[in-house]
Amino acid sequence: MSLWADKYRPNTLEKLSYYDEVTEQLTQLADAGSNFPHLLVYGPSGAGKKTRIMSMLRRLYNTTSIDNLKVDVKTFTTASNRKLEFNVISSPCHIEITPSDMGNNDRVVIQDLLKEIGQTEALDFSGLFHLAKKGTDEITNDNIPQKKFKVVIINESEKLSRDAQAALRRTMEKFSSTIRLILMCDSTSNIIDPIKSRTLGIRIGLPDNESMKQIFENILNNENDAKKIYPEDWDDRCIVYDHIIEESDNNLRLGIMMLEAMYMNNDSISITTPVIKPDWISVIESLTKGIIKERSVAKLSQCRTILYELLAHAIPGKLILERMTFNFIKMIDDYSSIKKSDEVKTSIVNAASLFDERLTLGSKDIFHLEGFVTRVMVILETDISSY
Amino acid sequence: MDQPWIEKYRPKTLKDVSSQSTTTKILEKSLNTANLPHMLFYGPPGTGKTSTILAMARQLYGPNLMTSRVLELNASDERGISIVRDRIKNFARLAITNPSKEDLQNYPCPPYKLIILDEADSMTMDAQSALRRTMETYAKVTRFCIICNYVTKIIDPLASRCSKFRFRPLDENSAIERLNFIANSENISINNNLIIDILNVCEGDLRRAVNLLQSVSTILKNNQSIDIKTMFGYLPDSIINNLIDLLKLKNLNKITTFTEKEIIKNGYSASFLLISLHKNLLLNSNLSSIEKNKISQILYKSDSLISIGCNENIQIINCLYNLSKVL
């Protein structure tokens, strides 16, 4: 049995819900065949970027061979003669890579791998097989396989170093007859202009509440066992859905996971059943609450242990910082002891921006997170004690 | 043809290069005299730098001789100091081959080779300084053409050895002409307003315009009116106007919820938000110079932070809070 998030992942363009105009655009791109441009797909995580692109590729190549995935390990040699191993996921029609895994060596991967792929022509006989089945020997332009190019999907492209992006530039043009790139990223801010000018941008936003409810409802309709556990009344179910949507921040994948987790953990669900959220989110929430309530050196050392724990569980420092900042902004209004809440918020966000910069430039996350916590405590204390 | 239009319609001769008349005139003259200096092309993306030199090389040598006379290196090739010392130096010092009779009749075939260093701003300082003497020693048989976006990234000693050509962003008329030409050759009917829309979005970057034209043409078949700006990732005007109204109200809670709901969750990128805010606020005649001064300071700070890879959401919120103080 697979997770609901995978089980109910749409696999064709027709099955996609929400953002119909983007789907329409992708359909037309897939039908355009050899006119297919390089794409830059961006949007927050959990919005369905990958799902859409894979559905589009299925339509583009019109074969099922795209799902025959295999994982290869390639070795590269850097200029300093170090051997690097790199995982490549490929099907006969496409290749998927995550060069940011390689850190600073991502340029070598881009240079070597893409050139290697670009210099080999993709052979695709599916069209000919199709012909043989039909029993005709008449070859027209329609049934000769047209797509001679391979699609290369580059995940997390916003994390590519500048060098690697520069390396992409000419490669994209030179081998444009054999490869098409699809760059996936959370945001285009870190993509250099020359790359943006060579690609067609496609923005995929998070689904709105209505579409998410619809998707949840569809899933439950297919899962009879689960449906019995959730409240019978549509209005009550809606309230539960709303809770999930709020907790998941409209992240569809997370939402579906929460839906499933609630079904697994409860015997019956009412509108008051708490939503099960990932541990780290609740930990950060209680952390911020504690900081607003108590601002002391003793608290700071407690925070330090929690922060270490979070980092040890591989939660990125930036994510912790972001969560904490947004929690502070939302929680400060609940505390009447804070007088000038607007000024406090502005200073906290200012501090967050400063420590975000230091997190980016520095290498040891814990220093900067602690610094941020201390700074926030000082901001809060100054405000409270000034009256 | 299995090629995107940007490759298909890359200019074949210097005459075809749009809108860079001063540069192409000088180059055409040197085509006749077959006397070429070392060259440094610089300018924003999509203005035809690579196209110009490739067209020029084709006109100088013809297709047969191109392979042996021209070495093109770009950022996708390893270009550390070792490559400059070995590959470039070895190619530079080769004696030139005799062109065939046929080529001599059709092309000038000047007695030197051409090394094109594309995207040279991503070359290291060391590699650049290793080039210095090489360029002079083999000047008899080799000419260099260095192409970059930012001339400041090229070290002075190299820049002073080259004659510089600046490529300007394309002016509207020649860009319209080029796009119309492509549209005609591809047999698509496209109205003039759409072309002007495309050009406005692309800000003088012809490659981006051609790319966009191609994508638009595949989508155009069903619905005739498309909002190019939103398709390209710009924020719709309505969102920006609402946001600015909210900023003026100085209600931080409303700003936060609006930003989260309309901008972050919809996946608009922070850099486009900054561009739109910049356009809207700084061209607004109701604001005083002092206010505009402060606004540019805030925008500049946020932009620099975002471009070094900081967390976008934090930076956007910070930028908006600060702006709301000024407005």
Side-chain angles (χ1 to χ4, degrees):
Chain A
M1 224 191 82
S2 56
L3 291 172
W4 289 358
D6 291 326
K7 196 170 164 191
Y8 294 101
R9 189 190 286 271
N11 50 14
T12 59
L13 284 172
E14 291 82 21
K15 285 188 196 155
L16 289 167
S17 47
Y18 72 90
Y19 287 128
D20 293 332
E21 66 281 2
V22 178
T23 314
E24 174 73 20
Q25 201 179 335
L26 289 178
T27 317
Q28 273 160 4
L29 285 178
D31 291 344
S34 60
N35 254 344
F36 192 76
H38 298 296
L39 295 182
L40 176 65
V41 185
Y42 60 99
S45 67
K49 300 184 288 288
K50 200 57 165 296
T51 311
R52 267 159 213 273
I53 291 306
M54 292 313 284
S55 313
M56 186 190 66
L57 290 184
R58 268 180 215 113
R59 182 174 178 116
L60 177 68
Y61 287 107
N62 201 13
T63 66
T64 48
S65 60
I66 200 143
D67 294 310
N68 299 340
L69 295 177
K70 65 171 195 246
V71 181
D72 291 326
V73 179
K74 300 230 171 190
T75 30
F76 293 98
T77 327
T78 59
S80 52
N81 258 333
R82 245 183 32 164
K83 285 240 158 51
L84 298 169
E85 291 199 336
F86 181 67
N87 286 326
V88 181
I89 302 172
S90 63
S91 83
C93 315
H94 86 292
I95 282 183
E96 201 179 318
I97 51 176
T98 313
S100 52
D101 287 353
M102 309 290 287
N104 279 331
N105 290 313
D106 52 358
R107 189 180 51 121
V108 188
V109 175
I110 295 279
Q111 286 177 346
D112 291 5
L113 187 70
L114 286 191
K115 272 194 191 159
E116 189 190 310
I117 303 169
Q119 280 159 355
T120 30
E121 295 237 333
L123 286 175
D124 178 16
F125 294 111
S126 58
L128 293 176
F129 283 135
H130 191 61
L131 256 187
K133 262 189 216 155
K134 271 204 314 204
T136 51
D137 45 11
E138 183 189 339
I139 295 182
T140 64
N141 269 336
D142 294 334
N143 45 31
I144 291 176
Q146 295 261 312
K147 281 122 225 154
K148 276 186 156 179
F149 56 81
K150 227 174 187 181
V151 168
V152 179
I153 299 180
I154 300 182
N155 289 319
E156 292 180 26
S157 52
E158 79 274 12
K159 289 189 189 140
L160 284 178
S161 63
R162 290 285 146 102
D163 276 347
Q165 292 190 34
L168 268 183
R169 293 168 59 171
R170 247 336 247 160
T171 318
M172 285 171 91
E173 295 180 345
K174 256 189 162 167
F175 301 117
S176 59
S177 59
T178 44
I179 47 177
R180 294 289 191 284
L181 294 179
I182 298 182
L183 303 172
M184 307 279 234
C185 55
D186 285 349
S187 150
T188 55
S189 298
N190 276 330
I191 309 281
I192 56 173
D193 269 354
I195 300 275
K196 282 191 208 155
S197 114
R198 286 170 172 84
T199 48
L200 171 68
I202 290 181
R203 180 177 56 84
I204 296 172
L206 290 169
D208 56 18
N209 296 359
E210 278 314 306
S211 349
M212 281 190 75
K213 272 182 210 165
Q214 206 56 54
I215 293 166
F216 290 162
E217 189 64 19
N218 278 341
I219 292 179
L220 285 190
N221 280 336
N222 282 311
E223 296 281 335
N224 280 325
D225 292 348
K227 188 146 193 204
K228 281 176 208 150
I229 289 175
Y230 277 87
E232 222 165 289
D233 190 38
W234 162 249
D235 287 331
D236 285 354
R237 256 204 320 273
C238 267
I239 297 174
V240 178
Y241 291 161
D242 278 333
H243 287 314
I244 298 181
I245 292 169
E246 204 192 316
E247 290 300 337
S248 64
D249 275 332
N250 288 57
N251 181 329
L252 187 58
R253 186 180 333 116
L254 190 59
I256 296 178
M257 299 257 202
M258 284 176 173
L259 189 76
E260 189 175 5
M262 279 180 77
Y263 152 64
M264 294 290 189
N265 277 308
N266 295 300
D267 291 333
S268 74
I269 295 170
S270 69
I271 48 172
T272 48
T273 317
V275 176
I276 297 170
K277 28 184 171 178
D279 283 343
W280 62 273
I281 294 183
S282 357
V283 169
I284 294 180
E285 239 167 56
S286 60
L287 180 71
T288 36
K289 258 187 208 153
I291 294 172
I292 300 179
K293 271 190 199 141
E294 192 194 337
R295 305 156 302 274
S296 62
V297 180
K299 183 74 201 169
L300 185 60
S301 67
Q302 276 176 29
C303 292
R304 181 199 180 107
T305 344
I306 301 174
L307 288 175
Y308 254 126
E309 192 76 1
L310 284 171
L311 289 174
H313 282 88
I315 312 286
K318 289 204 160 179
L319 201 57
I320 301 177
L321 184 71
E322 186 190 338
R323 275 271 158 188
M324 280 170 71
T325 315
F326 280 85
N327 281 343
F328 277 127
I329 298 176
K330 276 169 201 155
M331 283 178 188
I332 274 180
D333 284 332
D334 304 340
Y335 291 85
S336 51
S337 52
I338 297 165
K339 303 290 178 318
K340 292 183 175 170
S341 63
D342 272 7
E343 271 175 34
V344 171
K345 278 186 208 165
T346 319
S347 337
I348 290 181
V349 172
N350 255 325
S353 135
L354 179 74
F355 283 99
D356 182 28
E357 181 186 4
R358 296 192 181 160
L359 263 177
T360 315
L361 299 174
S363 57
K364 202 98 171 96
D365 287 1
I366 187 77
F367 295 159
H368 309 291
L369 289 175
E370 269 176 27
F372 175 65
V373 169
T374 325
R375 176 69 63 87
V376 171
M377 283 183 174
V378 171
I379 292 169
L380 290 170
E381 192 62 40
T382 346
D383 180 79
I384 292 169
S385 60
S386 66
Y387 290 95
Chain B
M1 275 297 271
D2 227 15
Q3 270 192 324
W5 293 357
I6 33 167
E7 290 303 312
K8 203 166 161 186
Y9 295 100
R10 206 180 259 286
K12 299 275 179 324
T13 61
L14 283 177
K15 277 205 184 81
D16 292 343
V17 177
S18 300
S19 183
Q20 309 291 356
S21 48
T22 32
T23 311
T24 44
K25 248 182 221 157
I26 299 174
L27 290 180
E28 259 173 26
K29 216 168 232 171
S30 58
L31 205 71
N32 296 332
T33 57
N35 183 15
L36 203 65
H38 294 307
M39 288 167 295
L40 174 64
F41 290 0
Y42 64 101
T47 46
K49 301 178 294 295
T50 313
S51 300
T52 306
I53 192 66
L54 287 180
M56 169 125 185
R58 201 171 289 121
Q59 275 180 293
L60 275 178
Y61 302 113
N64 294 332
L65 217 52
M66 270 270 285
T67 44
S68 64
R69 288 283 182 93
V70 180
L71 176 69
E72 191 196 346
L73 289 174
N74 54 60
S76 73
D77 303 291
E78 187 59 54
R79 272 194 312 195
I81 188 156
S82 58
I83 295 296
V84 173
R85 284 194 184 131
D86 302 337
R87 195 147 161 226
I88 295 185
K89 210 170 168 185
N90 280 338
F91 184 83
R93 67 177 169 208
L94 280 180
I96 45 169
T97 48
N98 277 331
S100 65
K101 235 184 204 157
E102 212 177 308
D103 282 338
L104 262 179
Q105 272 168 2
N106 296 325
Y107 301 100
C109 297
Y112 46 77
K113 299 176 301 281
L114 189 63
I115 297 184
I116 304 171
L117 294 172
D118 207 346
E119 293 145 23
D121 13 22
S122 62
M123 279 174 87
T124 57
M125 287 277 185
D126 288 344
Q128 288 188 35
S129 42
L131 265 181
R132 292 159 60 167
R133 200 57 196 139
T134 315
M135 276 175 87
E136 283 174 350
T137 326
Y138 305 110
K140 252 188 176 171
V141 281
T142 307
R143 296 288 185 279
F144 282 82
C145 177
I146 298 170
I147 303 179
C148 62
N149 289 132
Y150 305 101
V151 75
T152 41
K153 296 256 180 83
I154 303 295
I155 57 170
D156 275 351
L158 268 196
S160 80
R161 284 174 172 79
C162 305
S163 52
K164 293 187 197 125
F165 295 95
R166 191 170 83 91
F167 282 66
R168 282 162 300 138
L170 269 79
D171 67 78
E172 201 156 277
N173 287 335
S174 43
I176 291 179
E177 205 177 291
R178 188 73 190 161
L179 288 186
N180 269 327
F181 167 76
I182 293 177
N184 282 338
S185 340
E186 287 290 331
N187 272 330
I188 50 169
S189 61
I190 191 163
N191 71 33
N192 240 353
N193 290 336
L194 205 58
I195 289 193
I196 289 171
D197 269 356
I198 292 178
L199 287 176
N200 282 338
V201 171
C202 297
E203 289 166 351
D205 182 340
L206 188 61
R207 176 175 47 219
R208 195 179 255 183
V210 173
N211 251 334
L212 209 53
L213 181 72
Q214 180 175 13
S215 332
V216 169
S217 75
T218 55
I219 296 162
L220 203 61
K221 282 155 201 155
N222 293 358
N223 45 341
Q224 280 294 317
S225 64
I226 305 173
D227 191 354
I228 299 286
K229 266 182 114 177
T230 39
M231 194 181 136
F232 195 64
Y234 277 98
L235 287 84
D237 290 337
S238 57
I239 289 190
I240 291 294
N241 290 337
N242 282 342
L243 185 66
I244 290 176
D245 288 343
L246 278 179
L247 287 180
K248 283 181 183 153
L249 286 176
K250 300 189 199 296
N251 182 333
L252 295 190
N253 286 344
K254 276 191 184 156
I255 296 176
T256 318
T257 21
F258 183 82
T259 324
E260 276 196 329
K261 223 179 141 205
E262 299 289 334
I263 298 172
I264 298 178
K265 284 191 179 162
N266 272 328
Y268 289 108
S269 100
S271 46
F272 278 122
L273 175 68
L274 292 181
I275 293 173
S276 313
L277 281 174
H278 178 256
K279 257 190 199 151
N280 257 296
L281 292 174
L282 292 190
L283 297 180
N284 187 340
S285 47
N286 293 329
L287 296 168
S288 69
S289 316
I290 298 176
E291 283 169 326
K292 284 186 184 174
N293 231 324
K294 285 180 185 161
I295 293 171
S296 357
Q297 290 268 348
I298 297 169
L299 290 178
Y300 128 78
K301 182 79 186 151
S302 303
D303 183 62
S304 82
L305 287 177
I306 287 170
S307 65
I308 61 167
C310 287
N311 183 310
E312 288 197 355
N313 302 349
I314 292 179
Q315 301 304 344
I316 291 180
I317 290 283
N318 184 34
C319 168
L320 293 178
Y321 277 16
N322 285 331
L323 282 178
S324 81
K325 264 200 271 177
V326 175
L327 283 173

